[in-house]
Amino acid sequence: MKTTPDNSGDVRLSGISKTYGSFTAVHPLDLTVPEGSFFALLGASGCGKTTTLRMIAGLEEPTTGTVRLGDQDVTNLPPYKRPVNTVFQSYALFPHLDIFENVAFGLRRRGIKSVKKQVEDMLELVQLGEQARKRPHQLSGGQQQRVAVARALINHPRVLLLDEPLGALDLKLRRQMQLELKRIQTEVGITFVHVTHDQEEAMTMADTVAVMNGGRVEQLGSPADLYENPQSTFVANFLGTSNLIEAEVDTKNGDDIVLKAAGGKLVLPQARCSAPTTAGGRVLVGIRPEKISLTHADDAGRIPEGRNRLTGKIADASFIGVSTQYVIDSPVCDGLAVYVQNVERDGRLVPGADVVLHWSPAHTFGLDAAQRIDAGTEEEVAA
Ligand SMILES: Nc1ncnc2c1ncn2[C@@H]1O[C@H](COP(=O)(O)OP(=O)(O)OP(=O)(O)O)[C@@H](O)[C@H]1O
Ligand SMILES: [Mg+2]
């Protein structure tokens, strides 16, 4: 029984860091991965995901800190003595062995003679029972990756580490495999730690996501929590799209903060603001594109009271089937994104039209204005 909170979690990293010469790849990091959960490390290229994973596996020696798996401190154990297994992007199956023997490999190496039942069960789990006698090159990329997962799971590791395992697959297969991996994890109940730079992938699969940036964890939470309550501009921009509007604190009104932006007023619940809110201080007001409604300026009088509103002009509209994505220039900020579901389309909402953007104050979040407003955007990450 695990009684003290200190021993909770299947993987527990305490003050773990990695430096290469004068460069710090991972800053001292504390992280607890709950037992039996699907945990994702998400971040842009070079942020330290693989380094963190390799320290858990024992393939990289931490500069400081400890790694615990269950109640065992494994910091000084070599990789093969740790109850973990890793699946990499390049699945590196044995080309001369058939699928059955690839999966059986881990058992045979441990000297186990009767492998048939276990291998068959494992092939069943990854839905490759029919392919047992094929060689790796006769399978598709997604099938090969499932063999790699089966091979890694056959020894019943305590934790399965996955480093961009779907990186080599095309988008459609990737989506299928995301659901497939999630199903496998739920079925076997083993803790998965999955590394990816794809925010959609992390959100689809993981119970908990740790968003990494520059060798640090910026925020940790469930996908919905990260999306609805980002605590930094990096998280707001890296997970989906956010409109961030510079505003000035005007007054407080009960549990709300009233802000001024380009002459207009915006209301933000105090509880959804992670920035200091002294009068006259600056705050970035955030709102997700799908939370905003668009009304033609001629109908502005019909917008219900109590909603945040901004005026603007449609600069661009792209019809993408389920929704139309608008780009709107407003006195507060150019290039606001608004996504409107295609239910009843207002034919007047075309480029050049004057519109009012409005949304519920409850959907607004507030961030510290002392950060880069474009942190985590595609442009910023690529630079
Ligand atoms: N052996 C090494 N020597 C020096 N620097 C290294 C070494 N290994 C990694 N780094 C640096 O540490 C940083 C983190 O690398 P890491 O491989 O953990 O990134 P990552 O988040 O996995 O990126 P990617 O998404 O591109 O795989 C990078 O800047 C990388 O260049
Ligand atoms: Mg990596």
Side-chain angles (χ1 to χ4, degrees):
M1 273 295 283
K2 289 163 185 151
T3 46
T4 62
D6 270 350
N7 275 339
S8 68
D10 217 14
V11 180
R12 213 150 50 83
L13 309 180
S14 310
I16 199 160
S17 73
K18 183 71 191 180
T19 55
Y20 296 106
S22 62
F23 176 76
T24 303
V26 177
H27 292 270
L29 172 69
D30 296 308
L31 205 62
T32 300
V33 179
E35 190 165 350
S37 68
F38 201 126
F39 190 93
L41 282 174
L42 170 69
S45 183
C47 73
K49 305 179 297 292
T50 295
T51 306
T52 304
L53 206 70
R54 288 173 60 86
M55 291 193 285
I56 300 172
L59 299 166
E60 203 76 68
E61 193 186 338
T63 308
T64 63
T66 58
V67 179
R68 297 182 73 90
L69 296 171
D71 42 23
Q72 189 187 13
D73 186 331
V74 298
T75 316
N76 297 313
L77 287 185
Y80 65 90
K81 286 199 174 155
R82 300 187 183 199
V84 301
N85 217 331
T86 312
V87 177
F88 299 99
Q89 177 174 338
S90 56
Y91 3 96
L93 300 176
F94 304 115
H96 56 289
L97 297 181
D98 67 18
I99 301 315
F100 184 98
E101 286 304 324
N102 264 280
V103 174
F105 184 79
L107 296 175
R108 296 214 193 277
R109 200 176 45 175
R110 281 163 56 212
I112 296 168
K113 295 271 163 14
S114 52
V115 301
K116 191 161 182 292
K117 171 89 173 70
Q118 280 192 69
V119 173
E120 280 173 358
D121 285 351
M122 204 42 84
L123 287 173
E124 205 56 45
L125 174 75
V126 298
Q127 298 181 341
L128 288 175
E130 311 282 293
Q131 320 284 347
R133 290 304 162 196
K134 284 190 177 168
R135 296 278 180 88
H137 76 268
Q138 294 171 302
L139 299 187
S140 73
Q143 290 170 329
Q144 290 185 47
Q145 195 55 295
R146 266 141 60 195
V147 177
V149 170
R151 191 178 60 172
L153 284 175
I154 194 112
N155 285 329
H156 298 285
R158 188 178 180 112
V159 179
L160 187 68
L161 306 173
L162 303 114
D163 194 351
E164 306 263 5
L166 311 181
L169 308 180
D170 68 44
L171 189 62
K172 196 158 171 226
L173 193 51
R174 218 180 146 97
R175 293 236 167 95
Q176 276 174 15
M177 279 295 291
Q178 289 166 4
L179 300 175
E180 190 66 5
L181 273 182
K182 178 75 191 163
R183 179 190 62 76
I184 292 170
Q185 191 271 336
T186 312
E187 217 157 296
V188 295
I190 289 174
T191 308
F192 277 31
V193 181
H194 181 105
V195 158
T196 179
H197 63 269
D198 180 337
Q199 49 106 10
E200 210 173 283
E201 179 164 309
M203 296 218 277
T204 309
M205 293 196 286
D207 303 306
T208 308
V209 179
V211 184
M212 289 188 76
N213 181 22
R216 292 187 168 85
V217 171
E218 284 242 348
Q219 196 177 340
L220 183 142
S222 69
D225 179 42
L226 293 172
Y227 186 79
E228 301 297 351
N229 307 302
Q231 302 289 303
S232 66
T233 55
F234 181 85
V235 175
N237 292 322
F238 195 73
L239 270 86
T241 297
S242 290
N243 294 298
L244 297 175
I245 300 159
E246 290 188 54
E248 187 187 320
V249 177
D250 186 17
T251 54
K252 293 196 181 162
N253 180 13
D255 294 335
D256 292 331
I257 308 163
V258 182
L259 301 122
K260 283 191 294 197
K265 300 241 159 126
L266 295 171
V267 174
L268 163 68
Q270 174 86 58
R272 290 179 52 80
C273 185
S274 57
T277 54
T278 43
R282 304 203 65 76
V283 168
L284 292 172
V285 171
I287 180 72
R288 295 288 190 180
E290 74 283 5
K291 305 282 199 291
I292 302 176
S293 303
L294 272 192
T295 297
H296 193 272
D298 291 348
D299 296 342
R302 297 194 199 154
I303 300 168
E305 284 298 305
R307 288 175 67 81
N308 280 330
R309 54 178 80 199
L310 295 171
T311 57
K313 194 185 270 297
I314 298 179
D316 191 35
S318 335
F319 177 80
I320 60 155
V322 290
S323 66
T324 301
Q325 305 198 341
Y326 295 93
V327 177
I328 293 173
D329 291 340
S330 162
V332 298
C333 171
D334 279 347
L336 293 169
V338 178
Y339 304 160
V340 178
Q341 285 240 316
N342 285 323
V343 185
E344 283 146 355
R345 291 205 292 143
D346 182 343
R348 297 171 299 171
L349 298 182
V350 292
D354 285 314
V355 289
V356 179
L357 302 78
H358 54 101
W359 67 92
S360 163
H363 292 146
T364 317
F365 55 88
L367 302 175
D368 197 330
Q371 317 169 62
R372 283 190 65 159
I373 194 167
D374 67 343
T377 56
E378 271 168 42
E379 296 73 28
E380 193 266 347
V381 166

